[in-house]
Amino acid sequence: MNQIAQSASLNKPGASCALTFLRGFVANPAAVGSPLATSSNTVRRMLQPVEWDRVRTLVEFGPGVGTFSREVLRRLPRSATLIAIDTEVGFIDHLRATIDDPRLVAVHGSACDARQIIDGLGNDGADHILSGIPFSTLDEATGDEIVACAAQMLRPGGLFMAYQVKLALEPLLHRHFDEVERARQWLNMPPFHLWWARTAT
Ligand SMILES: C[S@@+](CC[C@H](N)C(=O)[O-])C[C@H]1O[C@@H](n2cnc3c(N)ncnc32)[C@H](O)[C@@H]1O
């Protein structure tokens, strides 16, 4: 494990993360979608197919308090970047305050603007995209725009990985990706659906 991954800033999320997450949910239940952050078992399973040594840029939609972000940073090569985009400014402030890692770029904004955000940061695309956005609470046009933009931003062979309570995302993925795999994840409260989608190369 490299020096960065051993740093204290990547410790597992603790009570302050849980409280910040719950506050975010109370302030905006539709956008946050769940009062509890994702379980560590779900995080490991979701990230399992990623070939980490090939990743240069990973984009995360809806990092919340960084449950996935911390695990991504543990696995990410030293020279790679994690661009984490969230609409809740409190979550972005929390990420910046609790994760001291030069590979993390935490951006207050919407996944709808992901293309402009990553272009503005000098990236020409994403190797993989990870999404925690609750698509069931978005209107279909917005959800469709986010998934279409994600499919365009991904480099050849890149995965769009998503976790959700409901199945609203499924038709959007079939519309914009060639291959869509779904699994049920019971070891999460509430249980999730997990998706891995990609475009044929
Ligand atoms: C279910 S929470 C997931 C949080 C965290 N990744 C986890 O696993 O516990 C959904 C997150 O998506 C964010 N979100 C909702 N709509 C968004 C959008 N359009 N763009 C970016 N983030 C969004 C919320 O603020 C929240 O942080």
Side-chain angles (χ1 to χ4, degrees), residues 21 30-34 36-38 43 60-68 85-88 91 109-112 132-134 138 142 146 163 192:
F21 195 75
V32 177
S34 164
L36 299 173
T38 304
V43 174
E60 184 176 5
F61 297 162
V65 292
T67 314
F68 274 91
I85 304 169
D86 206 294
T87 44
E88 298 293 312
F91 290 155
S110 171
C112 298
I133 295 173
L138 302 178
T142 305
I146 291 172
Y163 48 98
F192 273 164

Side-chain angles (χ1 to χ4, degrees), residues 74-126:
R74 278 181 210 284
R75 293 159 168 78
L76 209 58
R78 274 174 182 273
S79 57
T81 305
L82 168 61
I83 301 171
I85 304 169
D86 206 294
T87 44
E88 298 293 312
V89 70
F91 290 155
I92 294 300
D93 289 345
H94 179 88
L95 291 180
R96 290 177 181 155
T98 60
I99 302 180
D100 178 17
D101 187 317
R103 296 169 300 168
L104 173 67
V105 182
V107 180
H108 177 223
S110 171
C112 298
D113 303 318
R115 178 87 253 179
Q116 297 90 300
I117 291 169
I118 76 152
D119 284 354
L121 291 167
N123 287 270
D124 59 354

Side-chain angles (χ1 to χ4, degrees), residues 10-199:
L10 294 184
N11 284 343
K12 283 185 186 305
S16 83
C17 289
L19 197 60
T20 304
F21 195 75
L22 184 60
R23 275 202 208 105
F25 175 72
V26 171
N28 199 343
V32 177
S34 164
L36 299 173
T38 304
S39 76
S40 54
N41 192 288
T42 303
V43 174
R44 278 196 298 277
R45 188 174 179 193
M46 181 91 267
L47 298 178
Q48 201 274 330
V50 176
E51 292 181 49
W52 291 99
D53 51 350
R54 292 165 172 252
V55 180
R56 285 181 289 141
T57 309
L58 193 144
V59 175
E60 184 176 5
F61 297 162
V65 292
T67 314
F68 274 91
S69 321
R70 285 178 173 76
E71 289 304 319
V72 168
L73 290 167
R74 278 181 210 284
R75 293 159 168 78
L76 209 58
R78 274 174 182 273
S79 57
T81 305
L82 168 61
I83 301 171
I85 304 169
D86 206 294
T87 44
E88 298 293 312
V89 70
F91 290 155
I92 294 300
D93 289 345
H94 179 88
L95 291 180
R96 290 177 181 155
T98 60
I99 302 180
D100 178 17
D101 187 317
R103 296 169 300 168
L104 173 67
V105 182
V107 180
H108 177 223
S110 171
C112 298
D113 303 318
R115 178 87 253 179
Q116 297 90 300
I117 291 169
I118 76 152
D119 284 354
L121 291 167
N123 287 270
D124 59 354
D127 295 300
H128 302 294
I129 298 174
L130 171 66
S131 172
I133 295 173
F135 281 85
S136 58
T137 66
L138 302 178
D139 64 81
E140 195 183 328
T142 305
D144 191 69
E145 186 188 334
I146 291 172
V147 177
C149 163
Q152 283 164 11
M153 271 167 38
L154 278 169
R155 296 191 178 120
L159 284 171
F160 182 78
M161 300 174 276
Y163 48 98
Q164 302 276 276
V165 176
K166 297 188 180 165
L167 286 167
L169 180 57
E170 177 97 4
L172 305 181
L173 292 177
H174 284 286
R175 198 174 297 158
H176 297 288
F177 288 93
D178 298 317
E179 295 169 26
V180 179
E181 185 187 338
R182 171 160 54 89
R184 197 75 168 114
Q185 173 66 6
W186 295 104
L187 294 177
N188 200 78
M189 187 55 74
F192 273 164
H193 298 283
L194 309 182
W195 286 270
W196 299 266
R198 71 170 91 224
T199 302

